[in-house]
Amino acid sequence: NAGVMQNPRHLVRRRGQEARLRCSPMKGHSHVYWYRQLPEEGLKFMVYLQKENIIDESGMPKERFSAEFPKEGPSILRIQQVVRGDSAAYFCASTPALNYEQYFGPGTRLTVT
Amino acid sequence: QQPVQSPQAVILREGEDAVINCSSSKALYSVHWYRQKHGEAPVFLMILLKGGEQKGHEKISASFNEKKQQSSLYLTASQLSYSGTYFCGTETTGNQFYFGTGTSLTVIP
């Protein structure tokens, strides 16, 4: 049973470009969380999605950031017009339902130059 | 909304015990505990649901006091492999999930 997959593992973007981060949840999991982690800091909640629904996006910046989890395919976190402050590790985690443990992917390290 | 953990950092010698606390200002439905090693993804340790239960996992156990909105993680007879950053994750009764501020644990020989 494959674990949570994220790609790319490393992504370099120039200021102003777009970054697309993908997350394939574990088989049978229909809930996905996205987190951002700056070096030596904690995990900051960004968004919680179910297939075809955004459940809670209270942690997502209002501009430039969006997320989706379509019926088919991976969940996508999209950052438009990236700035240096977006450089961080982005983790997704999947879970079969609320109140279950979260299984984390290996993360995508985004570097904005 | 982010739960507060204490202590922020702790250094132990092998075989010593430690307690990590997690405190929330919100009413909680569940508390999760995760460990993250440097450069890696967090790994699930255990989940405690509303009901004030205590759970064990080898020499790592945890308790959850829902009235006080607090949880504690107990590590006994620590091993070198216990080193890492420990995060609690709290699920509020409003279905919102937040990770705590983190506790860095270093076990030395």
Side-chain angles (χ1 to χ4, degrees), chain B residues 14-78:
Chain B
E14 263 185 300
E16 289 183 338
D17 302 341
V19 180
I20 299 172
N21 301 302
C22 173
S23 183
S24 173
S25 60
K26 299 266 188 184
L28 301 179
Y29 187 82
S30 68
V31 178
H32 304 213
W33 285 97
Y34 295 81
R35 177 171 61 211
Q36 185 179 30
K37 293 189 181 276
H38 188 70
E40 298 180 11
V43 173
F44 170 78
L45 294 177
M46 66 187 77
I47 182 172
L48 301 100
L49 300 178
K50 198 172 166 180
E53 64 180 284
Q54 184 146 354
K55 271 198 168 181
H57 177 74
E58 296 179 348
K59 293 178 184 174
I60 301 174
S61 61
S63 63
F64 175 26
N65 186 324
E66 66 192 75
K67 286 181 182 174
K68 291 187 177 179
Q69 295 148 204
Q70 293 173 347
S71 177
S72 295
L73 184 72
Y74 308 94
L75 300 105
T76 57
S78 57

Side-chain angles (χ1 to χ4, degrees), chain A residues 37 98-99 101-102 105 109, chain B residues 29 34 36 39 44 47 91:
Chain A
Q37 187 173 41
L98 274 176
N99 301 315
E101 60 264 36
Q102 296 182 26
R109 270 82 181 164
Chain B
Y29 187 82
Y34 295 81
Q36 185 179 30
F44 170 78
I47 182 172
E91 195 137 30

Side-chain angles (χ1 to χ4, degrees), chain A residues 88-104:
Chain A
Y90 291 83
F91 289 98
C92 76
S94 77
T95 179
L98 274 176
N99 301 315
Y100 280 74
E101 60 264 36
Q102 296 182 26
Y103 294 88
F104 279 80

